[in-house]
Amino acid sequence: MNGRIKREVQVQKLPEIGKIKIGQKVASPNGKERPTSLDFFRADGQYAKLFHKELGANPRSLPIIFLSDDVTECCYERYELRKGSKRYAWGDGETFHAWSEAHKEYRQITKTQEPALGKRLAMEAGENGKPAEWQTMLTLRFLILPLKSVWGCWSFSTKAEASSIPAIVAAYDSVKAIAKTVIGVPFDLTVQM
């Protein structure tokens, strides 16, 4: 016996303890909230105060490490489609998971099965006969090295298809190709406007 129940799927990952952001909502003159970009990182969640105490009010660089070589765990790039505020579909350009109202779950389908899949899903998620727009997304999950008093992963997500996503993916993939792993390799996550 090893002290663990034998399950079909063993989950071995640290919990997510907060999100790192480079934007916030501000009130416009007419009273509505609108998003604005920041030139520093801010944290939310239960450990946000600890993040800012250890790293300062406006950190521009975060020393991080990844705990897995599985890109879906730590450097997950995908297309996403939203219907209102709900995620309607996501995928890698070939294989997609799309919401099935009939089955009340996400179902996997490929472009091989249905060549016009992306267009069909965009029309289903759209409104007034206009298709919804597919967005490129990247989510990172990592440890922040200076935060030694709490043990858990932070996440950072971006839609910056023309800037952040290519730079981050290129750095991650280059290190993994050269070192054959990213586990424990220190990276600096930086923000520039």
Side-chain angles (χ1 to χ4, degrees):
M1 289 187 40
N2 70 1
R4 295 290 176 260
I5 295 172
K6 303 295 181 211
R7 293 180 171 86
E8 286 186 34
V9 177
Q10 295 285 37
V11 177
Q12 294 181 344
K13 65 180 184 180
L14 289 175
E16 185 175 299
I17 60 172
K19 294 185 184 306
I20 304 299
K21 300 182 178 191
I22 54 172
Q24 65 184 8
K25 292 187 177 179
V26 295
S28 65
N30 65 4
K32 290 186 178 181
E33 285 192 331
R34 61 177 180 78
T36 186
S37 296
L38 301 171
D39 65 349
F40 58 88
F41 293 106
R42 69 177 188 82
D44 72 1
Q46 180 179 353
Y47 297 100
K49 287 182 181 177
L50 175 66
F51 172 93
H52 292 291
K53 179 183 174 190
E54 297 284 329
L55 298 165
N58 302 323
R60 291 185 164 177
S61 181
L62 300 177
I64 66 170
I65 60 170
F66 296 106
L67 297 176
S68 173
D69 283 322
D70 181 352
V71 294
T72 62
E73 287 292 318
C74 61
C75 188
Y76 183 40
E77 184 183 24
R78 67 212 173 271
Y79 293 113
E80 276 195 2
L81 185 63
R82 295 205 166 263
K83 186 172 189 173
S85 62
K86 181 181 178 180
R87 183 166 71 165
Y88 189 71
W90 75 94
D92 62 7
E94 176 57 36
T95 302
F96 291 87
H97 293 83
W99 179 254
S100 168
E101 193 59 41
H103 296 95
K104 302 290 186 211
E105 67 180 5
Y106 290 99
R107 307 285 289 214
Q108 183 174 307
I109 188 166
T110 67
K111 286 184 84 173
T112 304
Q113 294 168 301
E114 184 181 338
L117 175 64
K119 290 179 183 177
R120 176 180 64 84
L121 293 173
M123 288 305 293
E124 289 175 6
E127 294 179 356
N128 302 324
K130 293 183 180 178
E133 288 190 37
W134 285 95
Q135 294 183 321
T136 303
M137 293 285 300
L138 177 70
T139 300
L140 302 176
R141 291 186 81 244
F142 49 83
L143 289 180
I144 301 174
L145 290 172
L147 299 180
K148 300 195 185 316
S149 59
V150 64
W151 190 248
C153 285
W154 296 82
S155 71
F156 171 77
S157 292
T158 180
K159 297 177 186 176
E161 181 177 13
S163 55
S164 298
I165 293 175
I168 293 169
V169 169
Y172 178 94
D173 289 349
S174 294
V175 169
K176 190 169 181 184
I178 294 166
K180 307 297 184 225
T181 186
V182 293
I183 298 173
V185 175
F187 287 81
D188 281 331
L189 186 61
T190 59
V191 62
Q192 279 184 310
M193 288 189 75

